[in-house]
Coordinates of all heavy atoms in Angstrom, one line a residue:
M886 N -13.6 -8.5 -5.7 CA -12.6 -9.3 -6.3 C -11.5 -9.7 -5.2 O -11.2 -8.9 -4.4 CB -11.9 -8.6 -7.5 CG -11.2 -7.3 -7.1 SD -10.7 -6.3 -8.5 CE -9.3 -7.2 -9.1
P887 N -10.9 -10.9 -5.3 CA -9.9 -11.2 -4.3 C -8.6 -10.5 -4.6 O -8.1 -10.5 -5.7 CB -9.8 -12.7 -4.5 CG -10.3 -13.0 -5.8 CD -11.3 -12.0 -6.2
V888 N -8.0 -9.9 -3.5 CA -6.8 -9.2 -3.7 C -6.0 -9.4 -2.4 O -6.5 -9.8 -1.4 CB -7.0 -7.6 -3.9 CG1 -7.6 -7.4 -5.2 CG2 -7.8 -7.0 -2.7
I889 N -4.7 -9.0 -2.5 CA -3.9 -8.9 -1.2 C -3.8 -7.5 -0.8 O -3.4 -6.7 -1.5 CB -2.5 -9.5 -1.5 CG1 -2.5 -11.0 -1.9 CG2 -1.6 -9.4 -0.3 CD1 -1.2 -11.5 -2.4
N890 N -4.3 -7.2 0.4 CA -4.3 -5.9 0.9 C -3.0 -5.5 1.6 O -2.7 -6.1 2.6 CB -5.5 -5.7 1.9 CG -5.7 -4.3 2.3 OD1 -5.3 -3.4 1.6 ND2 -6.3 -4.1 3.5
L891 N -2.3 -4.6 1.0 CA -1.1 -4.1 1.6 C -1.4 -2.8 2.4 O -1.8 -1.8 1.8 CB 0.0 -3.9 0.6 CG 1.3 -3.3 1.0 CD1 2.0 -4.2 2.0 CD2 2.2 -3.1 -0.3
Y892 N -1.1 -2.8 3.7 CA -1.5 -1.7 4.6 C -0.4 -1.4 5.5 O 0.3 -2.2 6.0 CB -2.8 -2.2 5.4 CG -3.4 -1.1 6.2 CD1 -4.2 -0.1 5.7 CD2 -3.1 -1.1 7.6 CE1 -4.7 0.8 6.5 CE2 -3.6 -0.2 8.4 CZ -4.5 0.8 7.9 OH -5.0 1.8 8.7
W893 N -0.3 -0.1 5.8 CA 0.7 0.4 6.7 C 0.2 1.4 7.7 O -0.6 2.3 7.3 CB 2.0 1.0 6.1 CG 1.6 1.8 4.8 CD1 1.1 3.0 4.8 CD2 1.7 1.4 3.4 NE1 0.9 3.5 3.5 CE2 1.3 2.4 2.6 CE3 2.1 0.2 2.8 CZ2 1.2 2.4 1.3 CZ3 2.0 0.1 1.4 CH2 1.6 1.2 0.7
R894 N 0.5 1.2 8.9 CA 0.1 2.2 10.0 C 1.0 2.2 11.1 O 1.2 1.1 11.7 CB -1.4 2.0 10.4 CG -1.8 3.0 11.5 CD -3.3 3.0 11.7 NE -3.8 1.8 12.3 CZ -5.1 1.6 12.6 NH1 -6.0 2.5 12.3 NH2 -5.4 0.5 13.2
L895 N 1.6 3.3 11.5 CA 2.6 3.4 12.5 C 2.2 4.4 13.6 O 1.5 5.3 13.3 CB 4.0 3.8 12.0 CG 4.6 2.9 10.9 CD1 5.8 3.6 10.3 CD2 5.0 1.6 11.4
L896 N 2.6 4.2 14.8 CA 2.4 5.2 15.9 C 3.2 6.4 15.5 O 4.2 6.3 14.9 CB 2.8 4.6 17.2 CG 2.0 3.5 17.8 CD1 2.8 2.9 19.0 CD2 0.6 3.9 18.2
P897 N 2.6 7.6 15.8 CA 3.2 8.9 15.3 C 4.7 9.0 15.8 O 5.5 9.6 15.1 CB 2.4 9.9 16.0 CG 1.0 9.3 16.1 CD 1.3 7.9 16.4
D898 N 5.1 8.4 16.9 CA 6.5 8.5 17.4 C 7.5 7.9 16.3 O 8.7 8.1 16.4 CB 6.7 7.8 18.7 CG 6.2 8.6 19.9 OD1 5.8 9.7 19.6 OD2 6.2 8.0 21.0
Y899 N 6.9 7.0 15.5 CA 7.8 6.3 14.5 C 7.7 6.8 13.1 O 8.3 6.2 12.2 CB 7.4 4.8 14.6 CG 7.7 4.2 16.0 CD1 6.7 4.1 16.9 CD2 9.0 3.8 16.4 CE1 6.9 3.7 18.2 CE2 9.2 3.4 17.7 CZ 8.1 3.3 18.5 OH 8.3 2.8 19.8
W900 N 6.9 7.9 12.9 CA 6.8 8.4 11.5 C 8.1 9.1 11.1 O 8.9 9.6 12.0 CB 5.7 9.4 11.5 CG 4.3 8.9 11.6 CD1 3.9 7.6 11.9 CD2 3.1 9.6 11.7 NE1 2.6 7.5 12.0 CE2 2.0 8.7 11.9 CE3 2.8 11.0 11.6 CZ2 0.7 9.2 12.0 CZ3 1.4 11.4 11.6 CH2 0.4 10.5 11.8
G901 N 8.3 9.2 9.8 CA 9.5 9.9 9.3 C 10.8 9.2 9.4 O 11.9 9.9 9.3
K902 N 10.8 7.9 9.8 CA 12.1 7.2 9.9 C 12.3 6.2 8.8 O 13.2 5.4 8.9 CB 12.1 6.5 11.3 CG 11.9 7.4 12.5 CD 11.7 6.5 13.8 CE 11.3 7.4 14.9 NZ 12.3 8.3 15.5
G903 N 11.5 6.2 7.8 CA 11.6 5.2 6.7 C 11.0 3.9 7.0 O 11.2 3.0 6.2
L904 N 10.4 3.7 8.1 CA 9.9 2.4 8.5 C 8.8 1.9 7.6 O 8.8 0.7 7.3 CB 9.4 2.5 10.0 CG 10.5 2.7 11.0 CD1 9.9 2.8 12.4 CD2 11.5 1.5 11.0
A905 N 7.8 2.8 7.2 CA 6.7 2.2 6.4 C 7.3 1.7 5.1 O 6.9 0.7 4.6 CB 5.7 3.3 6.2
G906 N 8.2 2.4 4.5 CA 8.8 1.9 3.3 C 9.5 0.6 3.5 O 9.3 -0.3 2.6
D907 N 10.3 0.5 4.5 CA 11.0 -0.7 4.8 C 10.0 -1.9 5.0 O 10.2 -3.0 4.4 CB 11.9 -0.6 6.0 CG 13.2 0.2 5.8 OD1 13.4 0.5 4.6 OD2 13.9 0.5 6.7
L908 N 9.0 -1.7 5.8 CA 8.0 -2.7 6.1 C 7.4 -3.1 4.8 O 7.1 -4.3 4.6 CB 7.1 -2.2 7.1 CG 7.7 -2.0 8.5 CD1 6.7 -1.3 9.5 CD2 8.0 -3.4 9.2
G909 N 7.0 -2.1 4.0 CA 6.3 -2.4 2.7 C 7.2 -3.3 1.8 O 6.7 -4.2 1.2
W910 N 8.5 -3.0 1.7 CA 9.4 -3.8 0.9 C 9.4 -5.2 1.4 O 9.3 -6.2 0.6 CB 10.8 -3.3 0.9 CG 11.1 -2.2 -0.1 CD1 11.4 -0.9 0.2 CD2 10.9 -2.3 -1.5 NE1 11.6 -0.2 -1.0 CE2 11.2 -1.0 -2.1 CE3 10.6 -3.3 -2.4 CZ2 11.2 -0.8 -3.4 CZ3 10.6 -3.1 -3.8 CH2 10.9 -1.8 -4.3
H911 N 9.5 -5.4 2.7 CA 9.5 -6.8 3.3 C 8.2 -7.5 3.0 O 8.2 -8.7 2.6 CB 9.8 -6.8 4.8 CG 11.2 -6.4 5.1 ND1 12.3 -7.3 4.7 CD2 11.8 -5.3 5.6 CE1 13.4 -6.7 5.1 NE2 13.2 -5.6 5.7
A912 N 7.1 -6.8 3.1 CA 5.8 -7.4 2.8 C 5.7 -7.9 1.4 O 5.2 -9.0 1.1 CB 4.6 -6.5 3.2
L913 N 6.2 -7.0 0.5 CA 6.1 -7.4 -1.0 C 7.0 -8.6 -1.2 O 6.7 -9.5 -2.0 CB 6.6 -6.2 -1.8 CG 5.6 -5.0 -1.9 CD1 6.2 -3.8 -2.6 CD2 4.3 -5.5 -2.6
D914 N 8.2 -8.6 -0.6 CA 9.2 -9.7 -0.7 C 8.5 -11.0 -0.3 O 8.6 -12.1 -1.0 CB 10.4 -9.5 0.2 CG 11.5 -8.9 -0.6 OD1 11.4 -8.6 -1.9 OD2 12.5 -8.6 0.0
I915 N 7.8 -10.9 0.8 CA 7.2 -12.2 1.4 C 6.1 -12.6 0.4 O 6.0 -13.8 0.0 CB 6.6 -11.9 2.8 CG1 7.8 -11.7 3.7 CG2 5.7 -13.1 3.2 CD1 7.3 -11.1 5.1
A916 N 5.2 -11.7 0.0 CA 4.1 -12.0 -1.0 C 4.7 -12.7 -2.2 O 4.2 -13.7 -2.8 CB 3.3 -10.8 -1.3
R917 N 5.8 -12.1 -2.7 CA 6.4 -12.6 -4.0 C 7.2 -13.9 -3.8 O 7.5 -14.5 -4.8 CB 7.3 -11.5 -4.6 CG 6.4 -10.4 -5.2 CD 7.2 -9.2 -5.6 NE 6.3 -8.2 -6.3 CZ 6.4 -6.9 -6.3 NH1 7.5 -6.4 -5.7 NH2 5.5 -6.2 -6.9
S918 N 7.4 -14.3 -2.6 CA 8.1 -15.6 -2.4 C 7.1 -16.8 -2.2 O 7.5 -17.9 -2.0 CB 9.0 -15.5 -1.1 OG 8.2 -15.5 0.0
V919 N 5.8 -16.4 -2.2 CA 4.8 -17.4 -1.9 C 4.1 -17.8 -3.2 O 3.4 -17.1 -3.9 CB 3.7 -16.9 -0.9 CG1 2.6 -18.0 -0.7 CG2 4.3 -16.5 0.4
T920 N 4.5 -19.0 -3.8 CA 4.1 -19.4 -5.1 C 2.6 -19.3 -5.4 O 2.2 -18.8 -6.4 CB 4.6 -20.8 -5.4 OG1 5.9 -20.9 -5.0 CG2 4.4 -21.2 -6.8
H921 N 1.8 -19.7 -4.4 CA 0.4 -19.8 -4.7 C -0.3 -18.4 -4.8 O -1.4 -18.3 -5.1 CB -0.3 -20.7 -3.8 CG -0.5 -20.2 -2.4 ND1 0.4 -20.4 -1.4 CD2 -1.5 -19.4 -1.9 CE1 -0.1 -19.8 -0.3 NE2 -1.1 -19.2 -0.6
L922 N 0.5 -17.4 -4.5 CA -0.1 -16.1 -4.6 C 0.3 -15.4 -5.9 O -0.1 -14.2 -6.2 CB 0.5 -15.2 -3.4 CG 0.1 -15.6 -2.0 CD1 0.7 -14.6 -1.0 CD2 -1.4 -15.6 -1.8
A923 N 1.0 -16.1 -6.8 CA 1.6 -15.5 -8.0 C 0.6 -14.7 -8.8 O 1.0 -13.7 -9.5 CB 2.3 -16.6 -8.8
D924 N -0.6 -15.2 -8.9 CA -1.6 -14.6 -9.8 C -2.4 -13.4 -9.1 O -3.3 -12.9 -9.7 CB -2.6 -15.6 -10.4 CG -1.8 -16.6 -11.3 OD1 -0.8 -16.1 -11.9 OD2 -2.2 -17.7 -11.4
E925 N -2.1 -13.2 -7.9 CA -2.9 -12.3 -7.1 C -2.5 -10.8 -7.4 O -1.4 -10.5 -7.8 CB -2.8 -12.5 -5.6 CG -3.2 -13.9 -5.2 CD -4.8 -14.1 -5.3 OE1 -5.5 -13.2 -5.4 OE2 -5.2 -15.3 -5.4
L926 N -3.4 -9.9 -7.1 CA -3.2 -8.5 -7.2 C -2.9 -7.9 -5.8 O -3.7 -8.2 -4.9 CB -4.4 -7.8 -7.9 CG -4.2 -6.3 -8.2 CD1 -3.2 -6.1 -9.3 CD2 -5.6 -5.7 -8.6
I927 N -1.9 -7.1 -5.7 CA -1.6 -6.4 -4.4 C -2.2 -5.0 -4.5 O -2.0 -4.3 -5.5 CB -0.1 -6.3 -4.2 CG1 0.5 -7.7 -4.0 CG2 0.2 -5.4 -3.0 CD1 2.0 -7.7 -4.0
V928 N -3.0 -4.7 -3.5 CA -3.7 -3.4 -3.5 C -3.4 -2.6 -2.2 O -3.4 -3.2 -1.1 CB -5.2 -3.7 -3.6 CG1 -6.0 -2.5 -3.2 CG2 -5.6 -4.2 -5.0
A929 N -3.1 -1.4 -2.4 CA -3.0 -0.5 -1.2 C -4.1 0.6 -1.4 O -4.1 1.3 -2.4 CB -1.6 0.2 -1.2
R930 N -4.9 0.7 -0.4 CA -6.1 1.7 -0.4 C -5.8 2.8 0.6 O -5.4 2.6 1.7 CB -7.3 0.9 -0.1 CG -8.6 1.6 -0.3 CD -9.8 0.7 0.0 NE -9.9 0.4 1.4 CZ -11.1 0.1 2.0 NH1 -12.2 0.1 1.3 NH2 -11.2 -0.1 3.3
M931 N -6.1 4.0 0.1 CA -5.8 5.1 1.0 C -6.7 6.3 0.7 O -7.3 6.4 -0.4 CB -4.3 5.6 0.9 CG -3.9 6.0 -0.5 SD -2.2 5.8 -0.9 CE -1.9 4.0 -0.9
L932 N -6.8 7.3 1.6 CA -7.5 8.5 1.4 C -6.7 9.4 0.5 O -5.4 9.4 0.5 CB -7.7 9.3 2.7 CG -8.5 8.6 3.8 CD1 -8.4 9.3 5.1 CD2 -9.9 8.4 3.3
P933 N -7.4 10.1 -0.5 CA -6.7 10.8 -1.5 C -5.7 11.9 -0.9 O -4.7 12.2 -1.5 CB -7.7 11.5 -2.3 CG -9.1 11.1 -1.7 CD -8.8 10.1 -0.7
G934 N -6.0 12.4 0.3 CA -5.2 13.5 0.8 C -4.0 12.9 1.7 O -3.3 13.7 2.3
N935 N -3.9 11.6 1.8 CA -2.9 11.0 2.7 C -1.5 11.0 1.9 O -1.1 10.0 1.4 CB -3.3 9.7 3.1 CG -2.4 9.1 4.2 OD1 -1.3 9.5 4.4 ND2 -3.0 8.2 5.0
A936 N -0.8 12.2 2.0 CA 0.4 12.3 1.2 C 1.5 11.4 1.6 O 2.2 10.8 0.8 CB 0.9 13.8 1.4
G937 N 1.5 11.0 2.9 CA 2.6 10.1 3.4 C 2.3 8.7 2.8 O 3.2 8.0 2.3
S938 N 1.1 8.3 2.8 CA 0.7 7.0 2.3 C 0.9 6.9 0.8 O 1.4 5.9 0.3 CB -0.7 6.6 2.7 OG -1.0 5.3 2.7
V939 N 0.5 7.9 0.1 CA 0.7 8.0 -1.3 C 2.2 7.8 -1.7 O 2.6 7.1 -2.5 CB 0.1 9.3 -1.9 CG1 0.6 9.5 -3.4 CG2 -1.4 9.2 -1.9
R940 N 3.0 8.6 -0.9 CA 4.5 8.5 -1.2 C 5.0 7.2 -0.9 O 5.9 6.6 -1.7 CB 5.2 9.6 -0.3 CG 6.6 9.8 -0.6 CD 6.9 10.4 -1.9 NE 8.3 10.4 -2.1 CZ 8.9 9.9 -3.2 NH1 8.1 9.4 -4.2 NH2 10.2 9.9 -3.4
V941 N 4.6 6.5 0.1 CA 5.1 5.2 0.4 C 4.7 4.2 -0.7 O 5.5 3.5 -1.2 CB 4.4 4.6 1.8 CG1 4.8 3.2 2.0 CG2 5.0 5.5 3.0
A942 N 3.5 4.3 -1.2 CA 3.0 3.4 -2.3 C 3.9 3.7 -3.5 O 4.3 2.7 -4.2 CB 1.5 3.7 -2.6
E943 N 4.1 5.0 -3.8 CA 4.9 5.3 -5.0 C 6.4 4.7 -4.9 O 6.9 4.2 -5.8 CB 4.9 6.8 -5.3 CG 3.6 7.3 -5.7 CD 3.6 8.8 -5.8 OE1 4.5 9.5 -5.2 OE2 2.6 9.3 -6.4
K944 N 6.9 4.9 -3.7 CA 8.3 4.5 -3.5 C 8.4 2.9 -3.5 O 9.5 2.4 -3.9 CB 8.8 4.9 -2.1 CG 9.2 6.4 -2.1 CD 9.9 6.8 -0.9 CE 11.3 6.3 -0.8 NZ 12.1 6.7 0.3
L945 N 7.3 2.2 -3.2 CA 7.3 0.8 -3.3 C 7.1 0.3 -4.8 O 7.1 -0.9 -5.0 CB 6.2 0.2 -2.4 CG 6.5 0.4 -0.9 CD1 5.3 -0.1 -0.1 CD2 7.7 -0.4 -0.5
G946 N 6.9 1.2 -5.7 CA 6.7 0.8 -7.1 C 5.3 0.5 -7.4 O 5.0 0.0 -8.5
L947 N 4.3 0.8 -6.5 CA 2.9 0.5 -6.8 C 2.4 1.6 -7.9 O 2.9 2.7 -7.9 CB 2.0 0.6 -5.6 CG 2.0 -0.8 -4.8 CD1 3.3 -1.1 -4.2 CD2 0.9 -0.7 -3.7
T948 N 1.4 1.1 -8.6 CA 0.9 2.0 -9.7 C -0.5 2.5 -9.3 O -1.3 1.7 -8.9 CB 0.8 1.2 -11.0 OG1 2.1 0.6 -11.3 CG2 0.4 2.1 -12.2
R949 N -0.7 3.8 -9.5 CA -2.1 4.3 -9.3 C -3.1 3.6 -10.3 O -2.8 3.5 -11.5 CB -2.0 5.8 -9.7 CG -3.2 6.6 -9.4 CD -3.5 6.9 -8.0 NE -4.7 7.7 -7.9 CZ -5.9 7.2 -7.9 NH1 -6.1 6.0 -7.9 NH2 -7.0 8.1 -7.9
C950 N -4.2 3.2 -9.7 CA -5.2 2.4 -10.5 C -6.5 3.0 -10.2 O -7.3 2.6 -9.4 CB -5.1 1.0 -10.1 SG -6.2 0.0 -11.2
S951 N -6.9 4.1 -11.0 CA -8.1 4.9 -10.7 C -9.3 4.0 -11.0 O -10.4 4.3 -10.5 CB -8.1 6.2 -11.4 OG -7.9 5.9 -12.8
D952 N -9.2 3.0 -11.8 CA -10.4 2.2 -12.1 C -10.9 1.5 -10.9 O -12.1 1.1 -10.9 CB -9.9 1.0 -13.1 CG -9.7 1.6 -14.5 OD1 -10.0 2.8 -14.7 OD2 -9.2 0.8 -15.4
L953 N -10.1 1.3 -9.9 CA -10.4 0.6 -8.7 C -10.8 1.5 -7.6 O -11.2 1.1 -6.5 CB -9.4 -0.4 -8.2 CG -9.1 -1.6 -9.2 CD1 -8.0 -2.4 -8.6 CD2 -10.3 -2.4 -9.4
D954 N -10.7 2.9 -7.8 CA -11.1 3.8 -6.8 C -12.5 3.6 -6.4 O -13.3 3.1 -7.2 CB -10.9 5.2 -7.3 CG -9.5 5.7 -7.4 OD1 -8.6 4.9 -7.1 OD2 -9.3 6.8 -7.9
G955 N -12.9 4.0 -5.2 CA -14.2 3.7 -4.7 C -14.6 4.6 -3.6 O -13.8 5.4 -3.1
E956 N -15.8 4.3 -3.1 CA -16.3 5.0 -1.9 C -17.1 4.1 -1.0 O -17.7 3.2 -1.5 CB -17.3 6.1 -2.4 CG -17.8 7.0 -1.4 CD -18.6 8.2 -2.0 OE1 -18.3 8.7 -3.0 OE2 -19.7 8.5 -1.4
A957 N -16.9 4.2 0.3 CA -17.6 3.4 1.2 C -18.0 4.3 2.4 O -17.1 5.0 2.9 CB -16.7 2.2 1.7
Y958 N -19.2 4.2 2.8 CA -19.7 5.0 4.0 C -19.4 6.4 3.8 O -19.0 7.1 4.8 CB -19.2 4.4 5.3 CG -19.3 2.9 5.4 CD1 -18.3 2.0 5.2 CD2 -20.6 2.4 5.7 CE1 -18.5 0.6 5.4 CE2 -20.8 1.1 5.8 CZ -19.8 0.2 5.7 OH -20.0 -1.2 5.8
G959 N -19.5 7.0 2.6 CA -19.3 8.4 2.3 C -17.8 8.8 2.3 O -17.5 10.0 2.2
V960 N -16.9 7.8 2.3 CA -15.5 8.1 2.3 C -14.9 7.7 1.0 O -15.1 6.5 0.6 CB -14.7 7.4 3.5 CG1 -13.2 7.7 3.3 CG2 -15.3 7.9 4.8
R961 N -14.2 8.5 0.3 CA -13.6 8.2 -1.0 C -12.2 7.6 -0.9 O -11.4 8.2 -0.1 CB -13.6 9.4 -1.9 CG -13.3 9.1 -3.4 CD -13.5 10.3 -4.3 NE -12.5 11.2 -4.3 CZ -11.3 11.1 -5.0 NH1 -11.2 10.1 -5.8 NH2 -10.4 12.0 -4.9
W962 N -11.9 6.5 -1.5 CA -10.6 5.9 -1.4 C -9.9 5.9 -2.8 O -10.6 5.8 -3.8 CB -10.8 4.4 -1.0 CG -11.4 4.2 0.3 CD1 -12.8 3.9 0.5 CD2 -10.8 4.2 1.6 NE1 -12.9 3.8 1.9 CE2 -11.8 4.0 2.5 CE3 -9.5 4.4 2.0 CZ2 -11.5 3.9 3.9 CZ3 -9.2 4.4 3.3 CH2 -10.2 4.2 4.3
I963 N -8.6 6.0 -2.8 CA -7.9 5.8 -4.0 C -7.1 4.5 -3.9 O -6.7 4.1 -2.8 CB -7.0 7.0 -4.4 CG1 -6.0 7.3 -3.4 CG2 -7.9 8.2 -4.7 CD1 -5.0 8.3 -3.8
L964 N -6.7 3.9 -5.0 CA -6.1 2.6 -5.0 C -4.7 2.7 -5.8 O -4.6 3.3 -6.8 CB -6.9 1.6 -5.7 CG -8.0 0.8 -5.0 CD1 -7.3 -0.2 -4.0 CD2 -8.9 1.6 -4.2
Y965 N -3.8 2.0 -5.2 CA -2.5 1.7 -5.8 C -2.3 0.2 -5.9 O -2.7 -0.5 -4.9 CB -1.3 2.3 -5.1 CG -1.1 3.8 -5.3 CD1 -2.0 4.7 -4.7 CD2 -0.1 4.3 -6.1 CE1 -1.8 6.1 -5.0 CE2 0.1 5.6 -6.4 CZ -0.8 6.5 -5.8 OH -0.6 7.9 -6.0
T966 N -1.8 -0.3 -7.0 CA -1.7 -1.8 -7.2 C -0.3 -2.2 -7.7 O 0.4 -1.4 -8.2 CB -2.8 -2.3 -8.2 OG1 -2.5 -1.8 -9.5 CG2 -4.2 -1.9 -7.8
A967 N -0.1 -3.5 -7.4 CA 1.1 -4.1 -8.0 C 0.8 -5.6 -8.2 O 0.0 -6.2 -7.5 CB 2.3 -4.0 -7.1
A968 N 1.4 -6.2 -9.2 CA 1.3 -7.6 -9.4 C 2.2 -8.3 -8.4 O 3.2 -7.8 -8.0 CB 1.7 -8.0 -10.8
V969 N 1.8 -9.5 -7.9 CA 2.6 -10.3 -7.0 C 3.9 -10.7 -7.9 O 5.0 -10.5 -7.4 CB 1.9 -11.5 -6.4 CG1 2.9 -12.4 -5.7 CG2 0.8 -11.1 -5.5
M970 N 3.6 -11.3 -9.0 CA 4.7 -11.8 -9.8 C 5.1 -10.8 -10.8 O 4.3 -10.4 -11.7 CB 4.2 -13.1 -10.5 CG 5.4 -13.9 -11.0 SD 6.5 -14.4 -9.6 CE 5.6 -15.8 -9.0
V971 N 6.3 -10.2 -10.7 CA 6.7 -9.2 -11.7 C 7.4 -9.9 -12.9 O 8.3 -10.7 -12.7 CB 7.7 -8.3 -11.1 CG1 8.2 -7.2 -12.1 CG2 7.1 -7.6 -9.9
P972 N 6.8 -9.7 -14.1 CA 7.4 -10.4 -15.3 C 8.8 -10.1 -15.5 O 9.3 -9.0 -15.2 CB 6.5 -9.9 -16.4 CG 5.7 -8.8 -16.0 CD 5.8 -8.7 -14.5
Ligands
COA1259 C1 1.6 6.9 6.2 C2 2.7 6.4 7.2 C3 2.6 4.9 7.3 C4 4.1 6.9 6.7 O1 5.0 6.2 7.5 P1 6.5 6.7 7.5 O2 7.3 5.6 8.2 O3 6.6 8.0 8.2 O4 6.9 6.8 6.0 P2 8.4 6.8 5.5 O5 9.3 7.4 6.6 O6 8.7 5.4 5.0 O7 8.4 7.8 4.3 C5 8.2 7.4 3.0 C6 8.1 8.6 2.2 O8 6.9 9.3 2.4 C7 7.2 10.6 2.8 N1 6.2 11.1 3.8 C8 5.9 10.4 5.0 N2 4.9 11.1 5.6 C9 4.6 12.1 4.8 C10 3.6 13.2 4.9 N3 2.8 13.3 5.9 N4 3.5 14.1 3.8 C11 4.3 14.0 2.8 N5 5.3 13.0 2.6 C12 5.4 12.1 3.6 C13 8.6 10.7 3.3 O9 9.2 11.9 3.2 C14 9.2 9.6 2.4 O10 9.5 10.1 1.2 P3 11.0 10.4 0.7 O11 11.8 9.2 0.9 O12 10.9 10.8 -0.7 O13 11.4 11.5 1.6 C15 2.5 7.1 8.6 O14 2.4 8.4 8.5 C16 1.2 6.6 9.3 O15 1.3 5.5 10.0 N6 0.2 7.3 9.2 C17 -1.1 7.1 10.0 C18 -1.8 5.8 9.5 C19 -2.1 5.9 8.0 O16 -2.4 7.0 7.4 N7 -1.9 4.8 7.3 C20 -2.1 4.6 5.9 C21 -3.6 4.2 5.8 S1 -3.9 3.9 4.1

């Protein structure tokens, strides 16, 4: 299914400074300012044990969506989602 993939990855020197959260907010702002994306689903995919990534998704207001969890090449992924257009 077509989705907007929201992804964050920083060099270790930059972890723990709030940057992933800030960048995530800006990315969501940009997506929500683009009219033709209004009906799209924003998806963040991560490993279940990636506590930092899970926390960033939760702080951005994304919702855990286990229906979309999956596995590829023997690796299990969990999904967090948000609508582009918030009613
Ligand atoms: C995941 C990652 C992007 C987090 O970036 P970051 O800039 O350190 O995150 P932030 O500083 O914005 O932290 C956001 C929240 O996550 C928490 N957090 C960050 N790393 C954490 C960890 N390893 N374990 C638990 N909580 C963590 C922070 O405490 C903060 O929560 P709080 O505000 O309630 O204290 C970064 O660790 C990274 O680049 N990791 C390697 C790549 C990766 O795993 N990318 C995700 C692929 S899906």
Side-chain angles (χ1 to χ4, degrees):
M886 63 192 281
V888 295
I889 298 173
N890 185 26
L891 176 60
Y892 182 82
W893 36 79
R894 179 162 70 180
L895 302 170
L896 292 171
D898 283 353
Y899 299 95
W900 292 0
K902 301 174 192 289
L904 292 174
D907 283 352
L908 292 167
W910 275 119
H911 286 294
L913 289 173
D914 266 355
I915 291 167
R917 288 174 173 150
S918 72
V919 180
T920 309
H921 73 269
L922 297 179
D924 294 330
E925 302 289 342
L926 184 69
I927 296 170
V928 164
R930 188 175 71 154
M931 61 205 69
L932 298 173
N935 191 337
S938 201
V939 166
R940 184 73 187 123
V941 172
E943 290 173 346
K944 286 190 71 177
L945 291 174
L947 274 65
T948 306
R949 182 77 176 85
C950 185
S951 55
D952 288 354
L953 295 178
D954 288 357
E956 188 177 314
Y958 307 106
V960 177
R961 194 167 78 83
W962 299 96
I963 62 171
L964 271 290
Y965 279 76
T966 64
V969 171
M970 200 58 83
V971 178

